[in-house]
């Protein structure tokens, strides 16, 4: 089943089409990679799908239901959650407070993975070691990225968009987050991963979508898109090997 269907969508900032007549699908229950050069429209895609910046043209279907033009909170209630490329976590709030807001207010008839119930459970599941009473202003980048994932997971999504959740992490941290993404996916959540490290894409993802200058450049298996001549020319470089 298709989790997300983007049908002829455009988002323009003045004369710049950050998303330019894009049609694509995200297959259900996959880990799908969304890749492309800097400025190709990946974060705008997340903003568009999650309702922050609605498309000026086109339709967005979540599990075959139209969500185009809905507010972000309505889209969250329908089962789609996202993280931010630059973590957007209020410094003065604690880890527990940040996770508790969606735990209390997001739709509750979907279950959290693995019998998780409390904010502390979600924090632990996401690999956060500091106590939930720790203010977010004291956290490392790596932990802020985990708080972003924990907050999104606490929305009980069935589609989760992760905007560069592994960027700037050590190899060990990135491997742990990869394990977490796999576990979230095995609990029945379709995950879209934006990532620039192609080894991670090849190891983690079953499907890949490539944007370039706001347009869809390729979609298919990671192997198909990473060997596509157009993708190599626009993004990876001709000498690219995995
Ligand atoms: N709010 C905005 N106002 C004006 N222009 C914007 C806005 N958001 C994004 N853009 C522009 O839209 C284009 C796509 O940006 P976007 O952030 O979606 O790219 P990206 O693929 O996420 O890049 P990166 O890999 O660097 O994160 C860029 O040219 C960017 O400058
Ligand atoms: Mg981005």
């Amino acid at each position: 089943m298709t989790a997300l269907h983007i049908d002829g969508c455009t988002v323009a900032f003045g004369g710049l089409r950050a998303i330019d007549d894009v049609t694509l699908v995200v297959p259900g229950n996959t880990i799908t990679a969304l890749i492309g050069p800097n400025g190709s429209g990946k974060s705008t895609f997340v903003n568009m799908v999650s309702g922050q910046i609605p498309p000026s043209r086109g339709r967005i279907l979540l599990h075959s239901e139209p969500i185009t033009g809905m507010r972000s909170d309505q889209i969250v209630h329908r089962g789609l959650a996202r993280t931010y490329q630059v973590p957007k976590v209020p410094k003065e709030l604690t880890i527990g407070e940040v996770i508790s807001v969606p735990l209390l207010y997001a739709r509750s008839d979907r279950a959290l993975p693995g019998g998780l119930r409390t904010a502390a459970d979600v924090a632990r599941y996401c690999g956060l070691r500091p106590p939930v009473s720790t203010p977010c202003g004291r956290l490392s980048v790596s932990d802020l990225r985990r708080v972003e994932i924990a907050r999104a997971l606490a929305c009980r999504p069935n589609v989760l968009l992760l905007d560069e959740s592994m960027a700037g992490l050590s190899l060990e941290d990135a491997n742990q987050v990869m394990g977490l993404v796999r576990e979230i996916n095995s609990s029945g959540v379709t995950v879209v991963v934006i990532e620039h490290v192609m080894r991670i894409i090849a190891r983690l993802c079953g499907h890949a979508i490539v944007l370039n200058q706001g347009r869809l450049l390729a979609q298919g298996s990671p192997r198909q898109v990473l060997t596509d001549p157009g993708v190599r020319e626009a993004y990876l470089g001709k000498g690219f090997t995995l």
Side-chain angles (χ1 to χ4, degrees):
M1 181 177 175
T2 297
L4 261 181
H5 180 186
I6 312 300
D7 180 21
C9 285
T10 294
V11 173
F13 298 113
L16 173 83
R17 288 182 169 210
I19 297 290
D20 188 0
D21 194 18
V22 165
T23 296
L24 58 82
V25 296
V26 173
N29 289 319
T30 54
I31 304 178
T32 288
L34 176 58
I35 61 177
N38 294 122
S40 55
K42 303 179 298 295
S43 295
T44 305
F45 179 92
V46 175
N47 289 333
M48 175 182 83
V49 172
S50 61
Q52 254 104 52
I53 307 179
S56 56
R57 286 184 41 206
R59 292 186 315 155
I60 305 170
L61 305 175
L62 175 63
H63 295 302
S64 307
E65 298 278 331
I67 57 165
T68 332
M70 285 186 185
R71 295 190 315 263
S72 299
D73 60 303
Q74 295 170 316
I75 293 174
V76 166
H77 277 260
R78 284 178 176 250
L80 184 135
R82 56 88 52 95
T83 64
Y84 290 89
Q85 182 170 353
V86 178
K88 275 199 186 187
V89 182
K91 287 193 183 89
E92 62 284 5
L93 294 190
T94 64
I95 295 173
E97 286 165 342
V98 168
I99 300 174
S100 292
V101 173
L103 270 188
L104 289 171
Y105 294 108
R107 204 171 110 172
S108 58
D109 58 352
R110 281 185 300 268
L112 284 161
L116 306 179
R117 295 178 66 83
T118 66
D121 291 342
V122 177
R124 208 174 309 114
Y125 180 81
C126 292
L128 280 156
R129 291 210 186 92
V132 283
S133 56
T134 311
C136 291
R138 290 210 213 126
L139 299 179
S140 64
V141 175
S142 162
D143 279 341
L144 282 175
R145 293 210 180 278
R146 290 173 199 272
V147 173
E148 280 276 332
I149 298 173
R151 175 173 58 186
L153 197 62
C155 296
R156 303 166 180 87
N158 44 37
V159 177
L160 175 62
L161 310 182
L162 300 178
D163 196 347
E164 301 206 18
S165 292
M166 286 164 260
L169 303 193
S170 67
L171 191 61
E172 192 189 338
D173 277 341
N175 280 334
Q176 282 173 6
V177 173
M178 262 201 278
L180 174 61
V181 170
R182 281 200 191 98
E183 214 166 309
I184 292 172
N185 173 245
S186 351
S187 77
V189 180
T190 302
V191 188
V192 177
V193 175
I194 298 179
E195 175 56 55
H196 284 286
V197 178
M198 293 308 121
R199 259 180 303 109
I200 292 181
I201 299 296
R203 282 174 57 195
L204 190 61
C205 300
H207 187 74
I209 294 160
V210 191
L211 293 178
N212 186 41
Q213 297 183 348
R215 299 192 70 98
L216 179 72
L217 185 59
Q219 62 182 324
S221 72
R223 179 160 290 282
Q224 278 168 333
V225 305
L226 297 180
T227 52
D228 181 290
V231 175
R232 294 173 88 91
E233 179 156 349
Y235 180 37
L236 299 172
K238 289 195 175 131
F240 169 81
T241 50
L242 263 179

